[in-house]
């Protein structure tokens, strides 16, 4: 089907300096955990988006020198010929699909701790990083400034050699050029500090030198946070923000606009529970609206809706639709619009699991919606193409339509299994997503900063996408409201049975801290609740509530937000150093803490519950159990362990003779029923099994390609020489 | 006891579709075939009556008028538990109207001498809501239409049925078998068939008959027809509609504007 003419504007080419962008879909720089050291992952992840129609794809931030080393977080690097070689794999792949390749040249200053290179970062003033712990830069004198600017130039020349079309001088997220521009970092009194022109000088000179070096061949871009969101102590859009764009407009071919910094970059990569689509518009939208630039502008806002994209261009906010997360969630987003099937777009849910892995430092990126993200090369998975299964004549019963079951049934359907029945006990598919997506709200009022507690409603997109796909698959039947007994499963007539029955919260306080139930904990009582009971509102909640948060992710704090928003006096206890630790990684923590503080929620960390009595919770300090504290309560919420609902699986597995006599050849357990986990991992688990359902042992994941040096494959002496040769530039 | 359930394989339109060049119908490329939703409820009602009846020898027979495309629907009924199926087809039945189909069904049902005939209230594609009632007329059976509740007493051969009237009033009727009921959606929760039942359905008897097998003549069926579709056309676009596009927030903002304009105007 042809695309709707109302989307034609998204497919109009646009000139960026010497390069032509074929359409308005642009993958802005974002991390994936590949860098220059996993060239296969880098090339194939970006290449997948090029295949899916994105007009340009960029690297993640790409270090220009060992002085800018973000280890253990994974950046790209273009330090030497070896990096040129490895990144050229990416540009080649993008060019095969007609996409432009962009590289984001990065020098982090004090934000780069240099834990691998052991180098000393340089910065405009000697102020410790507000992002890293205890990292001070060396003050840059004028010689240092020239040295670092030459690093940009050398890197740009290498980037051109690697085949890049768009070369960034990256200053957003408060990295070095922005550190010069912002008085929050820059306390200099020479011609690189003080007045606007002085503070802008480093960035402008760097742009000029890079442009002189490669500007005839490559488009020059700059990523710029138009507002630091710190008020008058730093860059504000209405002041130096638009002024800087005007000041350097002659030196760039493309502006890539953002807001905020790296210390709280959730203001840019806004999680859906606090930020709606196109949330940066009040800031980034001012640049073109105020006629401050004559150059094309790209910007982001987790935009997944093609109508919003059209509105963004038509309203003059941006010329080009930038995307990081929406392009991870659906690498084929442009193609789906072009082919007139926008209903097939796998919309980003804004959970920021992708970001969490970068924040953790090291692991490859993951995506809740797109289980193939990051697996393009190492497992050979394509998000839209599915090989017919070798055993597709088999019929499959999937029990439980939660995240794992939905995904598994969908992929099995796409792999053309003869018949797939997805049977769900509840009245609708979705499993835990159906009640989890009702959380995340508090009292509906504006938060203390930008955004508000919008809740996890967009997580329901997990269900919506799969519902639409399942409806389209003729070989998949979905049956709801049907709880199958072990006997019914045995007699169902499926050759392959997959159990995806989820999990439940412990009702006795069993937890990861003490590995034991909590004396007195009993969620069968009317004044003790598990989180799902809070959502179902089956029990009355009293005024004084203690929430025991043992999980370290969103559940306990979301319950606290809801109850505090409804007017209860809520106290959060956690055995950990902070509540909801994982939400630091998903960038949800800062806004969450603002909301909890506004709601008056009391937080006690390093605090574990000893026992629970009617009206009283006895707690202790985990470092000094003798230090006891008591909390008077009316209601206790036990956000403690989750336990697999695997009884069906265990009963089926126990009777091997019966499985055989009933013709059941394969029995598998996936998702929370196998082991409780995050939704992103449940979906992966379901996807993985379906992708490998025709392997010799589907329950055992096939090995994946590990991009690493194989010792002695070439003579170790030759290899050392090869490494030295490619590293010459950096060693010189 | 025997229950006959007449069913229909209906055409569902794709989201976007085109009409045939001569305007006589929808281009079949844009149609998907499925068992009529109402018939899943009448089938379930029949299966429940059979399951609740004492003793053996009870039978649910599913019958349809349709070409090979309709066989899938019959198989799904057999998979759910119907005992046997009958498909009646003859090229002359192409384009047959409600009365013609009812006449053909009547000939088939008469041979079965059932205690009950359970039809769906209507088919989702043609929406006449008349086949069942016309069938009752041909068979000269007592009938109740649009049944929302059904309790069959096999020993007394009596059905107590409920219908919903205006204001939510419930009309309770008693009808003696043999009788014909047209069943409304929501009366029960239709079951689904397991994979094994779907496989085994192919082993169940599925008889195909033509008009001659039923002792009917083409002309007699043709004469029964009361009307014939001459054209199918899309609705004329109305005036004054404004399509709202954009993000949910933009759409909501526009709705607020419109409401304010109307209220102030």
């Amino acid at each position: 089907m042809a695309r709707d003419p109302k989307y034609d504007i998204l497919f109009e080419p646009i000139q960026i300096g010497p390069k032509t962008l074929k359409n308005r879909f642009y993958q802005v720089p974002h991390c994936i955990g590949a860098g220059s050291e996993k060239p296969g992952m880098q090339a194939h992840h970006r290449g997948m988006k090029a295949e899916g129609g994105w007009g340009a794809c960029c690297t993640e931030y790409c270090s220009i020198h060992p002085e800018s080393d973000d280890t253990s977080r994974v950046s790209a690097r273009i330090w030497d010929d070896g990096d040129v070689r490895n990144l050229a794999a990416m540009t080649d792949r993008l060019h095969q699909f007609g996409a432009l390749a962009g590289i984001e040249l990065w020098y982090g200053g004090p934000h780069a701790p240099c834990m691998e290179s052991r180098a000393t970062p340089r910065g405009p003033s000697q102020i410790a990083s507000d992002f890293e712990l205890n990292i001070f830069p060396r003050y840059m004198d004028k010689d240092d400034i020239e040295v670092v600017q030459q690093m940009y130039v050398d890197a740009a020349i290498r980037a051109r050699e690697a085949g890049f079309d768009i070369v960034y001088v990256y200053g957003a997220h408060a990295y070095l050029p922005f550190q010069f521009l912002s008085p929050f970092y820059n306390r200099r009194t020479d011609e690189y500090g003080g007045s606007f022109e002085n503070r802008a000088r480093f960035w402008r000179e760097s742009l000029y030198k890079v442009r002189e070096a490669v500007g005839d061949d490559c488009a020059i871009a700059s990523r710029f946070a138009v507002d630091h969101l710190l008020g008058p102590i730093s860059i504000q859009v209405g002041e130096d923000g638009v002024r800087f764009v005007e000041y350097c407009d002659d030196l760039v071919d493309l502006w890539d606009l953002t807001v905020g910094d790296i210390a709280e970059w959730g203001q840019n990569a806004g999680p859906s529970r606090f930020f709606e689509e196109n949330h940066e518009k009040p800031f980034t939208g001012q640049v073109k609206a105020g006629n401050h630039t004559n150059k094309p502008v790209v910007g982001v806002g987790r935009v997944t809706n093609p109508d919003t994209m059209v509105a963004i261009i038509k309203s003059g906010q941006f010329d080009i639709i930038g995307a990081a997360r929406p392009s991870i969630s659906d690498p084929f987003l442009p193609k789906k619009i072009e082919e007139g099937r926008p209903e097939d777009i796998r919309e980003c849910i804004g959970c920021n699991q992708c970001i969490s892995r970068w924040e953790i430092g090291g692991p490859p990126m993951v995506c809740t919606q797109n289980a193939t993200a990051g697996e393009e090369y190492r497992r050979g998975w394509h998000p839209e193409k599915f090989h017919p299964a070798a055993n597709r004549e088999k019929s499959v019963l999937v029990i439980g339509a939660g995240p794992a079951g939905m995904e598994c049934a969908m992929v099995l359907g796409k792999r053309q299994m003869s018949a797939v029945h997805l049977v769900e006990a509840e009245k609708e598919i979705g499993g835990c997503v159906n009640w989890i997506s009702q959380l995340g709200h508090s009292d509906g009022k504006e938060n203390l900063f930008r955004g508000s507690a919008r809740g996890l409603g967009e997580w329901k997109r997990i269900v919506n996408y799969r519902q639409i796909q399942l409806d389209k698959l003729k070989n998949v039947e979905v049956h709801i409201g049907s709880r199958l007994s072990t006997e019914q499963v045995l007699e169902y007539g499926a050759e392959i049975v997959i159990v995806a029955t989820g999990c439940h919260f412990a009702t006795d306080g069993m937890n990861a801290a003490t590995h034991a139930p909590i004396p007195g904990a009993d969620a069968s009582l009317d004044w003790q609740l598990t989180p799902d009971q809070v959502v179902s509102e089956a029990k009355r909640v009293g005024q004084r509530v203690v929430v025991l948060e043992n999980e370290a992710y969103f559940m306990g704090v979301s319950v606290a937000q809801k109850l505090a928003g409804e007017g209860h006096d809520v106290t959060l206890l956690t055995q950990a150093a902070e509540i909801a630790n994982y939400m630091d990684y998903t960038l949800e923590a800062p806004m969450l803490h603002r909301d909890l503080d506004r709601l008056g929620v009391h937080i006690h960390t390093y605090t574990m519950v000893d026992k629970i009595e009617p009206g009283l919770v006895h707690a202790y300090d985990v470092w000094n159990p003798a230090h006891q504290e008591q909390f008077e309560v009316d209601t206790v919420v036990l956000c403690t362990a989750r336990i697999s609902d695997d009884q069906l699986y265990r009963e089926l597995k126990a009777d091997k003779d019966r499985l055989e006599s009933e013709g059941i050849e394969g029995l598998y357990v996936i998702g929370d029923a196998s082991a409780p986990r995050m939704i992103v991992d449940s979906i992966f688990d379901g996807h993985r099994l379906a992708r490998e359902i025709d392997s010799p042992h589907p329950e055992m994941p096939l090995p994946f390609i590990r991009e690493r040096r194989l010792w002695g494959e070439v003579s170790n002496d030759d290899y050392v020489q090869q490494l030295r040769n490619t590293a010459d530039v950096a060693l010189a | 006891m025997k229950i006959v359930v007449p069913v229909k394989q209906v055409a569902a339109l794709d989201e976007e579709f085109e009409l045939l060049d001569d305007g006589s119908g929808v281009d079949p490329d844009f149609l998907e075939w499925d068992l009529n939703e109402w018939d899943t409820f009448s089938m379930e009602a029949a299966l429940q009556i059979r399951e609740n009846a004492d003793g053996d020898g009870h039978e649910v027979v599913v019958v349809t008028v349709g070409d090979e495309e309709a066989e899938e629907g019959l198989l799904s009924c057999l998979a759910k538990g119907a005992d046997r199926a009958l498909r009646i087809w003859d090229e002359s039945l192409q384009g047959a109207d409600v009365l013609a189909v009812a006449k053909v069904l009547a000939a088939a049902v008469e041979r079965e001498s059932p205690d009950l005939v359970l039809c769906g209230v209507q088919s989702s594609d043609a929406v006449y809501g008349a086949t069942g009632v016309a069938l009752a007329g041909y068979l000269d059976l007592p009938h109740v239409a649009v049944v929302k509740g059904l309790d069959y007493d096999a020993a007394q051969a009596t059905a107590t049925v409920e219908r919903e009237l205006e204001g939510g009033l419930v009309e309770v009727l008693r009808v003696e078998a043999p009788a014909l009921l047209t069943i409304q959606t929501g009366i029960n929760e239709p079951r689904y068939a397991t994979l094994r039942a779907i496989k085994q359905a192919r082993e169940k008897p599925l008889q195909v008959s033509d008009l001659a097998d039923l002792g009917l003549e083409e002309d007699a069926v043709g004469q029964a027809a009361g009307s014939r579709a001459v054209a199918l056309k899309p609705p004329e676009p109305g005036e004054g509609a404004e399509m709202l596009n954009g993000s949910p927030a933009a759409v909501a903002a526009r709705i607020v504007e419109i409401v304010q304009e109307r209220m102030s105007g």
Side-chain angles (χ1 to χ4, degrees):
Chain A
M1 206 177 289
R3 71 169 181 252
D4 191 320
K6 71 179 173 178
Y7 300 135
D8 285 353
I9 196 169
L10 301 174
F11 293 88
E12 287 175 9
I14 184 169
Q15 199 66 22
I16 306 175
K19 301 289 180 180
T20 305
L21 182 69
K22 68 176 178 181
N23 59 30
R24 304 304 176 95
F25 298 96
Y26 188 103
Q27 181 241 285
V28 296
H30 74 76
C31 295
I32 59 174
S36 308
E37 280 150 37
K38 287 181 180 162
M41 180 188 182
Q42 182 70 272
H44 286 259
H45 176 75
R46 312 291 179 188
M48 191 62 75
K49 294 172 183 177
E51 185 185 337
W54 295 84
C57 297
C58 302
T59 61
E60 58 271 68
Y61 64 148
C62 182
S63 167
I64 58 175
H65 193 272
E67 271 181 29
S68 186
D69 161 25
D70 216 16
T71 305
S72 61
R73 290 179 294 263
V74 179
S75 78
R77 294 160 165 182
I78 190 148
W79 297 350
D80 59 27
D81 290 350
D83 292 330
V84 169
R85 182 185 177 86
N86 281 6
L87 289 174
M90 166 189 160
T91 62
D92 281 350
R93 192 129 185 108
L94 292 177
H95 292 154
Q96 278 173 30
F97 294 105
L100 300 180
I103 183 167
E104 189 183 44
L105 299 184
W106 166 74
Y107 189 101
H111 295 332
C114 294
M115 289 197 274
E116 183 180 359
S117 67
R118 309 292 300 270
T120 306
R122 309 181 215 211
S125 299
Q126 194 169 72
I127 299 174
S129 170
D130 47 314
F131 175 56
E132 271 303 323
L133 292 176
N134 213 18
I135 301 294
F136 291 80
R138 188 174 92 202
Y139 173 81
M140 287 169 85
D141 61 24
K142 283 178 200 160
D143 292 339
D144 293 312
I145 286 174
E146 280 205 24
V147 166
V148 171
Q149 286 177 337
Q150 190 59 37
M151 290 176 187
Y152 278 101
V153 170
D154 293 344
I157 291 167
R158 285 195 289 274
R160 179 176 58 188
E161 193 186 333
F164 284 99
D165 307 286
I166 304 167
V167 174
Y168 276 72
V169 175
Y170 172 34
H173 300 118
Y175 288 122
L176 186 70
F178 190 91
Q179 290 163 18
F180 270 91
L181 183 67
S182 167
F184 183 66
Y185 297 94
N186 184 341
R187 305 291 162 81
R188 301 174 74 99
T189 54
D190 63 359
E191 64 262 42
Y192 288 91
S195 70
F196 166 77
E197 283 77 10
N198 283 358
R199 286 182 280 112
R201 191 177 312 280
F202 175 85
W203 202 332
R204 188 174 162 82
E205 285 176 355
S206 303
L207 277 168
Y208 179 82
K209 289 180 180 181
V210 168
R211 188 177 189 83
E212 283 292 295
V214 301
D216 290 343
D217 306 311
C218 303
I220 306 301
S222 202
R223 206 180 197 182
F224 172 50
V226 296
D227 199 306
H228 196 171
L229 307 176
L230 295 187
I233 62 169
S234 189
I235 304 303
Q236 292 182 284
V237 63
E239 308 284 333
D240 288 353
V242 295
R243 192 176 295 152
F244 180 76
V245 171
E246 288 179 2
Y247 191 59
C248 291
D249 208 40
D250 57 324
L251 296 178
V252 306
D253 301 310
L254 174 71
W255 285 110
D256 181 346
L257 302 181
T258 69
V259 297
D261 58 18
I262 195 65
E264 194 193 337
W265 70 290
Q267 295 294 328
N268 168 217
S272 65
R273 68 185 287 153
F274 295 111
F275 296 101
E276 61 184 357
E277 192 178 51
N278 199 19
H279 62 93
E280 293 179 26
K281 185 181 180 182
F283 301 92
T284 55
Q286 290 190 33
V287 171
K288 271 179 70 77
N291 291 318
H292 299 291
T293 178
N294 295 312
K295 299 296 170 64
V297 174
V298 63
V300 296
R302 204 170 54 80
V303 181
T304 57
N305 181 339
D307 292 323
T308 308
M309 297 176 186
V310 169
I312 284 171
I313 294 178
K314 284 195 170 165
S315 69
Q317 181 188 348
F318 301 139
D319 303 288
I320 301 164
I321 303 303
R325 291 169 291 167
S327 75
I328 299 166
S329 183
D330 198 342
F332 276 66
L333 185 151
K335 272 254 163 85
K336 289 173 180 177
I337 298 171
E338 189 166 27
E339 291 170 0
R341 47 188 189 101
E343 77 281 4
D344 284 338
I345 294 174
R346 202 167 37 245
E347 290 186 286
C348 169
I349 68 167
C351 65
N352 284 4
Q353 280 290 345
C354 49
I355 287 162
S356 74
R357 301 300 159 105
W358 177 80
E359 284 280 337
I360 288 168
M365 175 189 64
V366 296
C367 176
T368 297
Q369 279 281 61
N370 176 13
T372 71
E375 307 293 353
E376 300 87 354
Y377 177 71
R378 67 174 191 170
R379 291 185 210 264
W381 291 356
H382 191 293
E384 305 297 324
K385 290 180 187 162
F386 299 84
H387 297 295
N391 56 351
R392 61 184 174 279
E393 78 284 359
K394 307 289 183 200
S395 58
V396 189
L397 169 63
V398 181
I399 306 143
M406 286 188 297
E407 178 77 3
C408 192
M410 180 188 75
V411 175
L412 289 169
K414 292 185 176 190
R415 296 201 66 200
Q416 301 175 27
M417 300 302 289
S418 62
V420 179
H421 281 204
L422 175 60
V423 180
E424 166 58 42
E426 300 297 327
K427 290 289 185 192
E428 54 182 339
I429 69 167
C432 62
V433 178
N434 290 329
W435 65 271
I436 287 173
S437 59
Q438 296 176 43
L439 282 167
H441 301 278
S442 52
D443 57 4
K445 291 181 183 151
E446 283 290 304
N447 212 312
L448 289 177
F449 202 55
R450 296 202 314 120
S452 60
R454 304 174 65 236
L456 298 173
E458 285 188 24
W459 289 26
K460 196 69 192 274
R461 291 174 174 179
I462 294 168
V463 186
N464 297 345
Y465 169 73
R466 285 161 187 80
Q467 176 87 64
I468 289 168
Q469 298 302 306
L470 289 166
D471 284 350
K472 287 187 177 190
L473 290 163
K474 302 285 176 241
N475 54 340
V476 181
E477 286 184 21
V478 180
H479 299 294
I480 54 173
S482 178
R483 187 178 293 277
L484 296 178
S485 66
T486 304
E487 191 58 29
Q488 285 172 316
V489 173
L490 286 165
E491 292 176 353
Y492 201 91
E495 282 126 345
I496 298 171
V497 171
I498 298 169
V499 180
T501 41
C503 68
H504 62 274
F505 277 94
T507 55
D508 60 0
M510 178 69 190
N511 67 86
T514 66
H515 290 205
I518 296 169
D522 182 0
S524 70
L525 300 172
D526 61 1
W527 56 280
Q528 295 189 33
L529 288 74
T530 52
D532 51 312
Q533 291 174 345
V534 175
V535 174
S536 69
E537 296 181 343
K539 294 180 181 176
R540 205 188 71 81
V541 176
Q543 184 59 33
R544 297 166 301 174
V545 182
V546 161
V547 179
L548 177 57
E549 200 280 274
N550 271 150
E551 184 203 47
Y553 192 22
F554 65 85
M555 188 59 74
V557 294
S558 299
V559 167
Q561 266 182 302
K562 171 184 161 67
L563 296 179
E566 290 168 2
H568 300 276
D569 302 324
V570 180
T571 301
L572 265 169
L573 308 184
T574 178
Q575 83 284 5
E578 62 175 307
I579 53 156
N581 180 278
Y582 201 88
M583 291 172 79
D584 280 341
Y585 304 138
T586 60
L587 312 183
E588 292 163 305
M591 291 293 290
L592 173 78
H593 279 278
R594 290 183 181 110
D595 202 41
L596 291 174
D597 182 70
R598 187 181 61 81
L599 293 164
V601 173
H602 298 282
I603 296 170
H604 295 259
T605 58
Y606 291 138
T607 303
M608 188 55 201
V609 173
D610 189 25
K611 62 180 176 186
I612 300 170
E613 294 174 346
L616 208 56
V617 169
H618 297 264
Y620 60 93
D621 185 304
V622 296
W623 306 128
N624 179 9
H627 180 172
Q628 301 262 336
E629 199 170 353
Q630 275 139 32
F631 298 90
E632 292 183 2
V633 292
D634 302 305
T635 296
V636 175
V637 180
L638 297 164
C639 183
T640 52
R642 289 184 290 156
I643 297 162
S644 290
D645 289 325
D646 61 355
Q647 189 189 352
L648 176 65
Y649 172 72
R650 299 286 162 207
E651 286 177 8
L652 289 167
K653 190 156 184 267
D655 195 345
K656 291 210 164 47
D657 292 343
R658 182 74 192 283
L659 288 173
E660 196 180 327
S661 69
E662 296 288 355
I664 298 174
E665 301 164 15
L667 169 67
Y668 311 106
V669 60
I670 55 173
D672 287 346
S674 165
R677 62 192 76 197
M678 297 192 289
I679 294 170
V680 62
D681 294 319
S682 281
I683 290 176
F684 175 85
D685 204 31
H687 192 105
R688 203 285 308 162
L689 179 64
R691 283 274 180 179
E692 298 177 353
I693 198 68
D694 47 356
S695 76
H697 301 287
E699 72 279 10
M700 294 296 291
L702 293 172
F704 51 85
I705 296 172
R706 294 162 57 209
E707 298 188 67
R708 71 212 196 271
R709 180 189 169 190
L710 295 179
W711 188 255
E713 195 193 34
V714 295
S715 134
N716 283 341
D717 290 342
D718 291 351
Y719 193 72
V720 168
Q721 197 54 49
Q722 204 180 323
L723 291 176
R724 288 211 181 280
N725 289 344
T726 56
D728 266 351
V729 183
L731 292 168
Chain B
M1 180 186 55
K2 184 191 284 187
I3 306 171
V4 170
V5 183
V7 301
K8 182 181 177 187
Q9 191 77 347
V10 294
L13 294 177
D14 279 352
E15 210 167 288
E16 291 182 38
F17 59 89
E18 290 172 15
L19 297 178
L20 291 169
D21 291 340
D22 65 3
S24 64
V26 176
D27 184 335
D29 284 352
F30 297 93
L31 294 178
E32 288 181 17
W33 297 91
D34 205 355
L35 189 68
N36 179 36
E37 187 189 353
W38 277 263
D39 300 340
T40 66
F41 291 90
S42 54
M43 173 54 58
E44 179 63 31
L47 293 173
Q48 287 184 9
I49 291 170
R50 187 192 65 186
E51 284 161 4
N52 292 334
D54 295 331
D56 298 326
H58 308 300
E59 198 177 26
V60 172
V61 181
V62 58
V63 54
T64 195
V65 175
D67 61 14
E68 277 180 22
E69 201 80 60
E71 215 141 281
E72 201 183 315
L74 290 181
L75 283 169
S76 78
C77 293
L78 290 170
K80 286 180 180 183
D83 297 288
R84 59 189 170 88
L86 171 62
R87 179 169 72 84
I88 306 157
W89 188 240
D90 198 291
E91 280 309 314
S92 63
L93 288 169
Q94 196 78 44
D97 83 338
V98 173
L99 294 176
V101 168
K103 189 168 179 71
V104 172
L105 283 173
V109 174
E110 202 156 30
R111 292 174 175 223
E112 297 286 349
S113 316
D115 299 274
L116 281 176
V117 181
L118 301 183
C119 298
V121 166
Q122 62 185 28
S123 63
S124 59
D125 54 353
V127 210
Y128 280 101
T131 309
V133 181
L135 176 58
Y138 283 125
L139 293 170
D140 201 19
L141 285 180
H143 75 271
V144 181
V146 200
V147 170
K148 287 281 283 185
L150 170 58
D151 181 19
Y152 185 68
D153 183 339
Q156 301 295 320
T158 304
T160 306
V161 303
E162 293 181 1
R163 303 171 72 242
E164 197 173 284
L165 304 181
E166 201 176 358
L169 280 176
V170 176
E171 181 182 47
V172 182
L173 303 96
R174 191 154 295 143
V175 58
E176 283 181 21
L180 183 147
L181 311 176
T182 70
I183 305 295
Q184 179 61 302
T185 55
I187 187 174
N188 51 42
E189 284 194 30
R191 70 194 64 190
Y192 64 92
T194 65
L195 285 160
R196 180 165 291 167
I198 291 169
K199 288 168 194 165
Q200 289 171 344
R202 298 197 173 272
E203 312 300 321
K204 289 186 173 180
L206 193 164
Q207 190 191 335
V208 181
S209 301
D210 60 16
L211 291 182
D213 294 335
L214 296 175
L216 287 170
E217 291 183 15
E218 263 182 47
D219 289 353
V221 174
Q223 282 159 13
S227 65
R228 185 164 290 273
V230 289
L232 209 57
K233 55 182 184 178
E236 301 281 336
E239 284 179 10
E242 177 186 348
M243 293 302 292
L244 303 184
N245 292 319
S247 67
V251 169
R254 180 64 194 132
I255 291 170
V256 170
E257 271 178 29
I258 292 170
V259 171
Q260 284 171 343
E261 279 167 22
R262 297 294 157 94
M263 286 175 70
S264 63

